[in-house]
Amino acid sequence: MGSRQRSHRQRPRPHPRRHPGRLRQGARLSLAEALTREHPWLTFCDADAPGDWLSLTLDPIPWQQALVAQHARWYPGVDAPQVAAAFVLQYLLQIPAHTLAYAAGLADAPPEPEARAHGWAAQLRFTLGPNHVPDRVRLPRLSPTGGPGSGLARAEREYRAIAEPVAAAYPAIAKLGSATRGGLVTDMWRQAVARGRAVERESCCFLYVMPGCHECAGCPRLKR
């Protein structure tokens, strides 16, 4: 290749999630774009994004049953509905927890001009990807009560306002006591704030009952 051709080669553009704090000159991100850049697996969408969106107050029984069937394929002969019950509740709680925790930590996202919406997290919608795990989150039109960069304390109050009722009313195919439900609310918030780092948990997800698996890091069973 000649020098003239080499001089016109463009460098490959970096993947946005590898450099979450680096913006193009003059770029202005929406809240959905900024969250997607920051989050390791969720894609955030604006309010008008098409899709078969699910609510945080959906009937979770079919979702749990689908996870039980998947576990039966992965671990033949194992019957552990408590794992599916705990995992689906975790997935539900992760949606508001991660959305609000990551939004509170943003400094570069522009504040939305509309009035702040109380109960914003209750309006979040999501879709399920492979293996019945949420993969996309649709944001409401109004921005969260605190707005980007507002601080975690206010974001946690907004999170708990929706997460605690969701956990308390959650229909499970196996017994989940009030301590487990309340612990999951706290644990999902701690994990969202920690952004991948292990945290001490108050609840158990029962993964240890599956063949070849053991307690998660921070599991309360390890303290006994």
Side-chain angles (χ1 to χ4, degrees):
M1 180 180 293
S3 60
R4 181 178 178 83
Q5 290 175 294
R6 284 197 300 269
S7 66
H8 285 80
R9 289 188 62 188
Q10 293 183 348
R11 294 180 180 178
R13 295 177 61 185
H15 191 284
R17 295 188 182 182
R18 293 176 187 168
H19 305 283
R22 187 179 304 169
L23 302 181
R24 296 189 304 275
Q25 187 78 17
R28 188 179 179 94
L29 297 180
S30 69
L31 181 58
E33 290 170 331
L35 288 171
T36 299
R37 288 173 67 100
E38 291 284 339
H39 202 277
W41 76 85
L42 288 173
T43 297
F44 293 85
C45 306
D46 293 322
D48 57 355
D52 296 325
W53 299 101
L54 303 171
S55 165
L56 297 176
T57 56
L58 83 171
D59 176 6
I61 296 296
W63 189 359
Q64 296 172 59
Q65 292 170 336
L67 207 54
V68 168
Q70 177 175 273
H71 290 164
R73 293 192 297 272
W74 290 354
Y75 307 99
V78 171
D79 182 24
Q82 70 271 34
V83 177
F87 268 57
V88 169
L89 181 52
Q90 287 188 138
Y91 294 150
L92 274 175
L93 297 176
Q94 281 177 347
I95 294 162
H98 285 244
T99 303
L100 287 165
Y102 276 72
L106 289 174
D108 294 328
E112 300 293 338
E114 299 94 341
R116 304 305 181 192
H118 179 68
W120 182 86
Q123 303 173 54
L124 294 169
R125 299 293 184 266
F126 65 98
T127 59
L128 295 179
N131 301 325
H132 313 290
V133 178
D135 61 349
R136 293 195 302 155
V137 176
R138 190 185 73 183
L139 304 178
R141 292 193 181 281
L142 296 180
S143 50
T145 304
S150 64
L152 288 170
R154 183 180 292 182
E156 183 177 2
R157 290 195 297 270
E158 178 79 10
Y159 162 70
R160 288 186 175 275
I162 182 62
E164 289 173 355
V166 165
Y170 175 74
I173 59 175
K175 179 175 175 57
L176 294 179
S178 58
T180 297
R181 293 167 184 258
L184 283 169
V185 170
T186 297
D187 293 340
M188 294 306 101
W189 179 253
R190 288 176 178 171
Q191 289 181 351
V193 171
R195 298 195 176 202
R197 300 187 303 273
V199 298
E200 292 294 320
R201 291 180 57 117
E202 296 182 6
S203 65
C204 179
C205 67
F206 310 111
L207 182 64
Y208 69 91
V209 306
M210 310 302 277
C213 298
H214 53 78
E215 292 87 348
C216 303
C219 179
R221 288 175 55 86
L222 299 177
K223 303 176 186 177
R224 298 174 184 174

